Amino acid sequence: MSCAVPYTSITMSFAGFVKQINKANQFMNEMIGGVQGTKFSEDFVEMERKIDLYYELTVEVVEKTKKFLHPNSKSLTKMFRAKSVNSQPVGVLGECMVRYGKQLGEDGMYARALVETGETMKLICNIKSHLDDNMKISFLDPMFKFSQINFKEVMHHRKKLKGRRLDYDCKKR
């Protein structure tokens, strides 16, 4: 009884081994010997290309979406300095979606949805960039100037007041 199972597995593994040898032999004949391999149809090649694009798209969109949802503080600092669509996570994600949507061909619903979503993300990026600029010009810059000018003056007067108080206390004693 125990002899039948090992014999079967040995025969199966030997058959698999022979199959691998035959495949390696065919590969070498195609590479070195110039033997022509079976050609695939145009539809199959196009489907294969689209599957590769879907894979690249999925990997890149997931990566860029993670950056969009949880941006790195160092990249945010660079983003505020650069002020371009290419540096903001929303814009990068949008450009990625548009690029892959166009590569997939805009005849499919998924590709059209990618392009439309990407264009919307780029529009959001532009609006956010304008909001950031407006916030900087109308709020941050005046607050910074106020803090620099007025607080320097206040600190100067505090220092003077401290000196005068000390002088007053000295004369009072």
Side-chain angles (χ1 to χ4, degrees):
M1 259 187 157
S2 63
C3 280
V5 173
Y7 177 74
T8 306
S9 64
I10 289 173
T11 337
M12 296 278 252
S13 65
F14 182 71
F17 180 69
V18 169
K19 187 176 179 180
Q20 292 299 322
I21 296 264
N22 289 337
K23 289 194 311 190
N25 186 20
Q26 177 64 29
F27 178 75
M28 293 304 286
N29 284 335
E30 287 178 11
M31 289 296 159
I32 297 172
V35 174
Q36 199 59 247
T38 305
K39 294 288 182 192
F40 296 111
S41 70
E42 294 284 327
D43 292 338
F44 182 81
V45 171
E46 179 63 18
M47 187 172 37
E48 202 172 39
R49 182 189 72 80
K50 283 189 176 184
I51 287 172
D52 291 341
L53 273 174
Y54 279 117
Y55 175 74
E56 291 174 22
L57 161 78
T58 305
V59 169
E60 197 168 334
V61 165
V62 166
E63 172 192 326
K64 291 188 180 355
T65 304
K66 285 180 183 178
K67 286 182 182 177
F68 166 66
L69 293 175
H70 304 290
N72 183 351
S73 61
K74 289 181 183 177
S75 67
L76 282 176
T77 305
K78 288 179 187 175
M79 174 187 72
F80 283 118
R81 286 188 191 136
K83 293 276 188 206
S84 70
V85 173
N86 296 335
S87 63
Q88 292 190 22
V90 179
V92 172
L93 179 59
E95 286 178 358
C96 171
M97 288 177 164
V98 169
R99 184 178 70 244
Y100 280 108
K102 287 181 179 178
Q103 284 180 358
L104 288 172
E106 294 185 43
D107 55 328
M109 288 180 70
Y110 184 62
R112 281 193 308 249
L114 276 173
V115 170
E116 287 181 25
T117 305
E119 292 293 340
T120 305
M121 297 291 265
K122 286 169 47 175
L123 183 63
I124 289 171
C125 179
N126 287 334
I127 292 169
K128 186 178 180 310
S129 179
H130 289 302
L131 175 68
D132 291 347
D133 290 342
N134 190 19
M135 188 70 148
K136 183 180 181 308
I137 292 168
S138 63
F139 180 71
L140 289 178
D141 288 348
M143 289 297 283
F144 180 74
K145 288 177 185 172
F146 174 75
S147 67
Q148 291 299 310
I149 295 169
N150 292 348
F151 285 127
K152 277 185 182 177
E153 191 175 325
V154 167
M155 296 308 277
H156 171 71
H157 287 296
R158 280 174 115 182
K159 190 175 179 182
K160 269 180 136 178
L161 180 65
K162 184 178 180 183
R164 288 183 179 158
R165 184 195 54 85
L166 289 172
D167 187 42
Y168 173 75
D169 286 348
C170 180
K171 287 180 181 176
K172 189 171 119 179
R173 246 184 322 148

